[in-house]
Structure formats: C-alpha cells, structure tokens
Amino acid sequence: MSAKKETTAPDTMKEAMEILAATKKLNADNADLHWLYEQSVQNVEHEVEFIDKVFRKHYGRSPSLLREDFCGTALLCREWIIRRESNTALGVDYDGPTLEWGRVNNLAPLGDRARAVTLIQDDVRKVTEPKAEVLAATNFSWWGFKTRAELKEYFSLCRQSLQDEGLLMLDIYGGPEAQIPQIEEREVEGFDYLWDQDDFNPITGDIRCYIHFRFPNGSQMDEAFKYEWRLWSLPETCDLLEECGFSKVVVYWEGTDEDGEPSGEFKPDRKGDLAPAWVSYIIAYR
Ligand SMILES: C[S@@+](CC[C@H](N)C(=O)[O-])C[C@H]1O[C@@H](n2cnc3c(N)ncnc32)[C@H](O)[C@@H]1O
C-alpha cells in the first residue's frame, strides 16, 4: 500500500504563516516577528542579482564567497548559496536568538547544502577572516555606527576583510522626506507594514525609527523593531570610504518607470535626481 499523506498541515513555520496570510487570519498573537520582517523589508533575490552583476562588470567573473554583516536571519546568505553550487556564505550578527531563527527557518530546510553557510555570533568589527569577495551590509544597519571615528573603523575593517578582488555593498536612503517625522504604510499580503520615522535631530543627524505591523482583525504589533541610527549622507559616506583606501566608490541610483515611480533598476550615477525620498546602493571596490 502506498503511503498517503493524510494531513495538509504545513511542513514549516513559514508555510503556516503563508497560509494565515493568504486567508487573512494573521494577527498579533499568531504572527512570527522575523517572518513579518522578511516579507515586508527584504528582497534578497534582487540583491543577489545586483551583486553578481556589479561584481562581474568590474572583475569579469562571478564571485563565490559572500559575507553578510548584520545578517539577522541570514536570508541573503541563504539566497546566495541557492544561486550557485560553488557559492558559500558567512553571516555575522551579535544576536544569538535571531541567528538561531535563521538556522532553523532559513538554513535547515536546505538540508546538507546548509553547510555552505557559516554563521558567526559576534560584533561585525571583530571578524576579519575568512576574506570575502563580497561584503554586504544592507538595510542601513551600518548606520548604527554614529560617529565618524566608529564608521571609519568599520569601513577600514571591511576593506581588510575583503580579498584583493572584492567589493563592499552598502545601502543608504535619503532625500528631504527622510528627515521628516512621518509614518509610511504599505500593504503586504495578509498584513500592513508601517515605517515610522519617529524623530530626527538636525544637529547630530540622529534618527529614531520603528517598524509596526497591523493585521486584518485590527490587532497591531507596535514597535516590533526599533532603530537608533545616524542618517549618514551619500557624499560624507563616499568620502569616508575613499579615505579608508577603497580604490573606487560608485553610487548606484534607482531609475524611474514610465509613471515616474522607482523602477527597481539601479545604475551608476553621478547626478541623481531631486526625489523627495530615495534608496541607493554604494559599491566600494577594494
Ligand atoms: C535591521 S537588522 C538587518 C537584517 C538583515 N540583514 C536585513 O538586511 O534586513 C540589523 C541586525 O544587525 C545586528 N547588529 C547591529 N549592530 C551589530 C554589530 N555591531 N555587530 C553585529 N551585529 C549587529 C542586529 O542584531 C540585527 O540582527
């Protein structure tokens, strides 16, 4: 007799979340915090495509070893090793429970292939080996370094942590709206994502932001994530990277579609445009 699956119960927590989202039954009590974050904030397929493209353009070959700083749940590491059999990844984050969530929910489902990812629980400034071809620090986490001295130390360590043919990828946002306290709402399947720019200090550049989530039954997860950052500008960041010895620093600016909306296509640019709010990538070649 053939073994027949008698239940349609989801195999993984992520599948359970997807079902709850599709049936509009997610709420503040049953939703998983990290899953909500990944769904609403991260687009790792796009980032892996982008990294491959810029690395190939500069070095004429594909990179293999990616290091993801501030890796959280290591979603980018996961996507990186899925992309190519020869790829390996190193994720660094000092938060043990978040790394463990990533091990269970992002890496374990890959079986043996998960061995291609090494997760290190430490401050990103304490790790310089093994030397990576790509070092990615995304979702503005490097803004946690608020003084010039701290950021300079971090960028110098990033450079030391790269192979001769290597690049650092940072994301950055700005524009006049980045300095204005306001809440931006976005619908994601099964819930609403709220980006709350709570406070900005024009003298220090300090910015405090929150992520809140709201569900179809009216329940909310308030202050699910909190960020205390410095809103670094593009010119001061690029200057500092050059000061740290990076040989070439390129800003990839986002284009617009026929309706004038951000297109998701990022190209090297030296002029940009006067968008009230923008997100860009900085690529710094070792
Ligand atoms: C906003 S999450 C980023 C998650 C994911 N990489 C992304 O792109 O969305 C920031 C992460 O950085 C970690 N973190 C902040 N400062 C750190 C530091 N100095 N060293 C290591 N991890 C740090 C936190 O524990 C947290 O998991």
Side-chain angles (χ1 to χ4, degrees):
M1 218 167 73
S2 66
K4 213 172 175 186
K5 213 175 176 186
E6 284 175 7
T7 169
T8 52
D11 287 337
T12 64
M13 181 278 290
K14 285 196 177 193
E15 282 173 20
M17 289 298 122
E18 278 158 22
I19 292 167
L20 288 171
T23 52
K24 305 255 176 282
K25 287 185 183 145
L26 273 180
N27 60 54
D29 292 324
N30 66 18
D32 182 279
L33 191 64
H34 292 299
W35 180 83
L36 293 169
Y37 176 88
E38 288 187 355
Q39 290 298 110
S40 43
V41 175
Q42 295 192 270
N43 185 349
V44 289
E45 293 88 350
H46 166 266
E47 276 171 357
V48 166
E49 288 279 333
F50 179 72
I51 289 167
D52 258 351
K53 191 178 80 180
V54 294
F55 192 99
R56 255 200 320 270
K57 190 170 158 200
H58 196 75
Y59 295 114
R61 64 178 179 86
S62 298
S64 301
L65 175 54
L66 168 101
R67 166 169 159 182
E68 181 185 10
D69 271 2
F70 315 100
C71 70
T73 62
L75 193 63
L76 183 65
C77 290
R78 174 192 152 96
E79 187 63 27
W80 184 253
I81 61 149
I82 289 174
R83 168 93 179 185
R84 262 189 306 278
E85 195 58 34
S86 54
N87 280 0
T88 55
L90 177 73
V92 187
D93 198 293
Y94 58 32
D95 189 69
T98 307
L99 287 174
E100 186 53 23
W101 190 100
R103 271 191 201 100
V104 171
N105 295 292
N106 283 335
L107 302 182
L110 300 178
D112 281 353
R113 182 71 185 120
R115 291 208 202 105
V117 178
T118 306
L119 296 182
I120 298 180
Q121 184 184 344
D122 211 335
D123 190 295
V124 292
R125 292 166 293 186
K126 298 269 170 59
V127 182
T128 51
E129 295 287 341
K131 306 229 180 292
E133 289 163 291
V134 176
L135 200 167
T138 52
N139 272 316
F140 326 110
S141 307
W142 56 277
W143 281 2
F145 300 127
K146 288 188 175 186
T147 65
R148 194 174 190 282
E150 270 184 315
L151 191 59
K152 188 172 175 179
E153 183 201 10
Y154 174 60
F155 285 167
S156 298
L157 288 165
C158 286
R159 190 166 175 275
Q160 274 178 44
S161 309
L162 284 169
Q163 296 180 19
D164 288 347
E165 290 195 345
L167 63 82
L168 170 66
M169 177 181 98
L170 305 168
D171 57 5
I172 182 165
Y173 74 78
E177 295 226 332
Q179 303 185 358
I180 295 171
Q182 58 183 314
I183 297 183
E184 173 204 320
E185 293 189 32
R186 187 157 42 82
E187 230 180 278
V188 183
E189 189 181 22
F191 64 96
D192 290 334
Y193 160 88
L194 287 81
W195 175 247
D196 181 356
Q197 289 179 179
D198 183 54
D199 196 22
F200 174 69
N201 178 333
I203 296 176
T204 61
D206 284 0
I207 186 168
R208 183 173 55 242
C209 301
Y210 297 100
I211 293 175
H212 319 290
F213 298 109
R214 192 171 51 214
F215 302 95
N217 70 351
S219 61
Q220 293 216 172
M221 275 187 194
D222 283 325
E223 300 183 9
F225 294 95
K226 178 182 181 182
Y227 303 103
E228 297 275 4
W229 286 332
R230 170 165 166 182
L231 188 69
W232 287 95
S233 76
L234 262 175
E236 64 188 340
T237 306
C238 293
D239 282 354
L240 199 49
L241 287 162
E242 279 169 6
E243 208 174 300
C244 290
F246 284 93
S247 59
K248 187 176 175 194
V249 179
V250 181
V251 172
Y252 277 74
W253 192 259
E254 189 172 13
T256 48
D257 61 20
E258 57 275 13
D259 303 321
E261 295 298 318
S263 65
E265 277 286 304
F266 291 80
K267 299 235 168 83
D269 202 343
R270 292 189 58 79
K271 185 150 192 317
D273 59 58
L274 297 179
W278 48 259
V279 176
S280 290
Y281 288 107
I282 302 173
I283 300 293
Y285 298 93
R286 186 180 190 283

